[in-house]
Amino acid sequence: MSYEAVLFDLDNTLYPYAPCNEAGKRAALDALRQHGYELDREAFDELYAAGRREAKRETRTTAASHNRHVYFKRGLYRHAGEPDPASALAAGDAYWNGYLSAMSLCDGVEAVLDALDAAGADVAVVTNLTTRVQLRKLVRLGIDDRIDLLVTSEEVGREKPSALPFTAALAELDRRPSEALAVGDNVETDLAGANALGLDSALFVADGDAPADADLSAQQRPDHRLDALADLTEVAA
């Protein structure tokens, strides 16, 4: 079946997340050491996790829940017992610079985008996170000029699985849910959100660790499973 529009998730769908996150953490740890913090990796991980937990708890339905500067701001306060804006800024900046330096497209992305373009399908990225960071990722991956539309949870004020990110993309592209396919790695946000709206869905996990249908609720089950992103050309184009 061909579609008039394909709505891609970004993180761990168009590129592998884990190596980038690890590179970002290493860079942030180096930055904190340069600011005078005597941290080994275990202590750094505890600091980061504490800041992340607090941010997630207080901002869990918004794009701020992914903000690494918030994680470091909160984590450093818990670690040191006092605010340290300069170190939080340095660690957050270092994290994203390290993260982006490790990014690379999944195999098959460019071929899929070529096929969708040849078929006349619209291509959107619908993603949970802040706009500036996601723009940086698209530019770093070299596909910013291949994407017709970027919709972030920051822009619409709600995170997937809310319908708002999906409906905002469909409205901008002037497409109905029945004309579009959502592609993502997260069954709770990408698939459940798309399925609830009546979009067809495809599951692709960049690290290959996809859950079996038997482990998913009916709302989380994909219409298509992709062993490689290149397989999308057989489904969508």
Side-chain angles (χ1 to χ4, degrees):
M1 178 178 180
S2 61
Y3 296 90
E4 299 298 323
V6 178
L7 313 182
F8 287 99
D9 176 51
L10 178 55
D11 304 302
N12 215 35
T13 299
L14 296 182
Y15 73 95
Y17 169 80
C20 302
N21 184 49
E22 175 59 25
K25 286 182 175 181
R26 289 198 304 267
L29 174 56
D30 288 344
L32 290 177
R33 286 171 172 167
Q34 290 171 17
H35 276 248
Y37 287 89
E38 297 180 359
L39 298 169
D40 59 18
R41 181 57 190 263
E42 181 178 359
F44 169 84
D45 285 342
E46 290 175 357
L47 182 156
Y48 181 88
R52 182 179 184 274
R53 281 195 304 271
E54 187 171 309
K56 292 285 188 185
R57 182 175 64 248
E58 297 182 9
T59 64
R60 61 185 178 86
T61 61
T62 70
S65 66
H66 308 282
N67 192 315
R68 271 51 170 192
H69 288 84
V70 175
Y71 296 0
F72 289 116
K73 173 180 175 290
R74 299 293 185 92
L76 285 170
Y77 184 83
R78 294 286 169 262
H79 177 81
E82 60 183 8
D84 189 350
S87 296
L89 177 62
D93 286 351
Y95 174 91
W96 284 120
N97 289 336
Y99 186 110
L100 269 72
S101 70
M103 290 184 77
S104 60
L105 287 170
C106 290
D107 291 341
V109 171
E110 292 180 320
V112 166
L113 294 178
D114 286 342
L116 293 174
D117 181 62
D122 297 319
V123 175
V125 169
V126 180
T127 173
N128 287 347
L129 223 149
T130 54
T131 303
R132 184 176 187 274
V133 167
Q134 301 305 67
L135 288 170
R136 290 184 70 190
K137 291 176 184 177
L138 292 179
V139 171
R140 174 67 180 86
L141 291 170
I143 58 171
D144 51 301
D145 61 346
R146 311 291 305 277
I147 304 300
D148 298 306
L149 177 68
L150 169 68
V151 175
T152 68
S153 59
E154 181 183 43
E155 294 176 90
V156 300
R158 292 291 299 276
E159 296 253 286
K160 296 181 292 183
S162 166
L164 279 177
F166 298 105
T167 57
L170 293 173
E172 184 68 23
L173 298 172
D174 194 24
R175 300 297 182 188
R176 297 187 298 272
S178 60
E179 297 176 314
L181 174 71
V183 183
D185 71 295
N186 191 309
V187 297
E188 295 180 2
T189 56
D190 302 321
L191 271 62
N195 291 340
L197 194 60
L199 289 154
D200 280 1
S201 60
L203 178 64
F204 174 70
V205 183
D207 63 14
D209 190 20
D213 278 356
D215 297 325
L216 304 178
S217 69
Q219 195 67 21
Q220 295 172 332
R221 288 175 190 156
D223 296 289
H224 309 281
R225 282 181 173 269
L226 308 173
D227 294 324
L229 202 59
D231 295 341
L232 188 61
T233 58
E234 302 298 321
V235 174

